[in-house]
Amino acid sequence: MFICFYRQASLNDGAERFYTQAANLRPKYPAALMNLGAILHLNGKLQEAEANYLRALELKPDDTITQSNLRKLWNIMEKQGLRTLAP
């Protein structure tokens, strides 16, 4: 509930803290890692976002939302000339 409030209110730093806590509490829960990746993505922390998306996909390879988010992130990273962890 609080996490949704932070995202909706554009309080991305607060949301990032909560998503980080969630991922730390449940490091093998793909949704927590995907959500952390998404907020890091929104906060411009692209390489950290990529790492979390990839960890989420290791746990749940067929997650189409995470796959889509990762493709979008890679497009942004490519345009910015950033190196990705892509194989």
Side-chain angles (χ1 to χ4, degrees):
M1 174 100 177
F2 288 109
I3 293 171
C4 294
F5 167 77
Y6 277 107
R7 284 210 49 202
Q8 291 173 355
S10 296
L11 299 173
N12 290 348
D13 291 336
E16 183 180 327
R17 283 190 299 277
F18 280 108
Y19 283 123
T20 299
Q21 281 183 319
N24 287 337
L25 289 171
R26 305 253 337 251
K28 295 194 184 280
Y29 185 57
L33 297 167
M34 189 277 295
N35 285 328
L36 177 56
I39 198 67
L40 290 166
H41 188 159
L42 289 172
N43 287 348
K45 298 176 182 178
L46 305 183
Q47 289 156 327
E48 291 177 54
E50 179 189 27
N52 281 279
Y53 286 149
L54 290 171
R55 283 180 32 221
L57 287 172
E58 285 175 9
L59 297 168
K60 189 176 179 186
D62 61 339
D63 187 323
T64 58
I65 295 172
T66 305
Q67 292 169 355
S68 175
N69 286 351
L70 184 58
R71 281 192 299 276
K72 291 173 188 174
L73 177 72
W74 280 341
N75 287 333
I76 293 168
M77 291 175 78
E78 183 180 338
K79 288 176 185 173
Q80 293 185 9
L82 298 173
R83 188 174 186 169
T84 70
L85 298 172

